[in-house]
Amino acid sequence: MPRKPTLSPSKITTYLACAVKYRWTHSDARGKLYLRAKSYYSFGATLHRVLERFYSEEDSGVTTTAEALAAMEENWIDAGFSSSEEMAEAYHEGKEILERHVTEHVKRESTAKVLFVEKQLRSDFGLFDLVGRIDRVDEHEDGTLEIVDYKSGRDAVTPEDVSTDVAMACYQLMLRELYPDRPIVATIYALRSGMHASHSMPEVELDEFRADITKLGGEILTQEWYDLTPRLKRLCERCDFLALCKTHEDFAEAIAANTSTAG
């Protein structure tokens, strides 16, 4: 029996941003030849790993600022940086972020219990399974479950940002299936500033979102990738797959026209 296909918040977000980018990232193996390491992915992955160790009850090795900094050095990923200077700047910023985060956590004296960290959830959507990995879930004294998502590239975040974030909606939907009787709230932490914001989706919105994801998932799974025509977008300039899209005549003409207009 063939395995059921899976979709993730990341895949869905990529598809919504650009179906052609989804093709090269997840459907057409040729795209892997064009993928480049990104410094911001390396930076974010390093911070996530340290925070996972800090909040995990199964890991007693990171409980203080000094231990967090030592863990950052141990887990540092250097892929994607354009120079040693760029990496040194990122390393210094990472230290500042962790020092502030650990200090604020100790001062806050939260009564919430960390339920789990870096937890992978899976929900059955019929034609596919929705799979997502949550950074952290806290259980508050009143029974509320708080989904916590770290954003290493953000300086600011608002409740509206949380309410329109596809991944946060997916996480709320999947967590509701595990804990149907618990209130659930989603929080995004902008690690660079320490700012955070929260939003909770009402039941009716979660039901509507599930219907939308089911429909969208069916569209993704039945997409005729080779019939897609690339369309010029703002994200094209820094996309790894620009060279592949340029082989399409209409797309190449659109780039030429856009360059001419900009000049």
Side-chain angles (χ1 to χ4, degrees), residues 49 52-63 114-119:
R49 176 55 181 147
E52 176 188 0
R53 293 188 61 190
F54 178 70
Y55 285 104
S56 175
E57 293 185 353
E58 299 176 359
D59 190 333
S60 60
V62 179
T63 58
V114 177
L115 195 61
F116 45 71
V117 295
E118 293 296 331
K119 175 77 170 180

Side-chain angles (χ1 to χ4, degrees), residues 133-189:
R133 184 175 294 276
I134 298 180
D135 291 342
R136 191 176 101 225
V137 172
D138 290 349
E139 182 180 27
H140 292 267
E141 287 186 319
D142 65 356
T144 298
L145 300 180
E146 181 182 12
I147 298 166
V148 178
D149 192 62
Y150 313 121
K151 298 295 185 184
S152 59
R154 285 195 179 191
D155 291 310
V157 61
T158 67
E160 184 179 2
D161 293 331
V162 184
S163 70
T164 57
D165 189 285
V166 172
M168 299 307 285
C170 287
Y171 297 151
Q172 290 179 75
L173 191 59
M174 288 187 285
L175 196 62
R176 183 185 68 165
E177 294 194 359
L178 288 178
Y179 302 94
D181 300 325
R182 298 285 198 94
I184 297 173
V185 61
T187 299
I188 289 178
Y189 271 81

Side-chain angles (χ1 to χ4, degrees), residues 72-90:
M72 189 186 81
E73 181 175 356
E74 178 184 340
N75 291 276
W76 182 257
I77 302 172
D78 59 6
F81 291 97
S82 61
S83 66
S84 58
E85 290 78 15
E86 182 191 11
M87 187 169 69
E89 183 177 346

Side-chain angles (χ1 to χ4, degrees), residues 77-229:
I77 302 172
D78 59 6
F81 291 97
S82 61
S83 66
S84 58
E85 290 78 15
E86 182 191 11
M87 187 169 69
E89 183 177 346
Y91 190 87
H92 178 72
E93 183 177 18
K95 289 178 61 177
E96 290 184 336
I97 287 173
L98 290 173
E99 286 176 343
R100 181 180 62 248
H101 190 90
V102 172
T103 299
E104 290 179 353
H105 173 79
V106 172
K107 287 181 178 179
R108 191 160 56 243
E109 295 182 350
S110 174
T111 56
K113 173 188 175 183
V114 177
L115 195 61
F116 45 71
V117 295
E118 293 296 331
K119 175 77 170 180
Q120 180 168 293
L121 302 181
R122 179 183 292 259
S123 295
D124 187 348
F125 274 68
L127 291 177
F128 64 94
D129 282 348
L130 181 64
V131 178
R133 184 175 294 276
I134 298 180
D135 291 342
R136 191 176 101 225
V137 172
D138 290 349
E139 182 180 27
H140 292 267
E141 287 186 319
D142 65 356
T144 298
L145 300 180
E146 181 182 12
I147 298 166
V148 178
D149 192 62
Y150 313 121
K151 298 295 185 184
S152 59
R154 285 195 179 191
D155 291 310
V157 61
T158 67
E160 184 179 2
D161 293 331
V162 184
S163 70
T164 57
D165 189 285
V166 172
M168 299 307 285
C170 287
Y171 297 151
Q172 290 179 75
L173 191 59
M174 288 187 285
L175 196 62
R176 183 185 68 165
E177 294 194 359
L178 288 178
Y179 302 94
D181 300 325
R182 298 285 198 94
I184 297 173
V185 61
T187 299
I188 289 178
Y189 271 81
L191 291 177
R192 278 193 160 91
S193 64
M195 184 183 297
H196 61 276
S198 303
H199 176 76
S200 179
M201 293 178 69
E203 289 293 312
V204 63
E205 288 186 13
L206 283 171
D207 291 336
E208 292 172 353
F209 182 74
R210 182 182 177 86
D212 290 342
I213 291 298
T214 301
K215 181 178 179 181
L216 184 61
E219 179 182 318
I220 294 173
L221 294 176
T222 58
Q223 180 67 250
E224 296 292 340
W225 301 109
Y226 293 95
D227 291 337
L228 289 176
T229 300

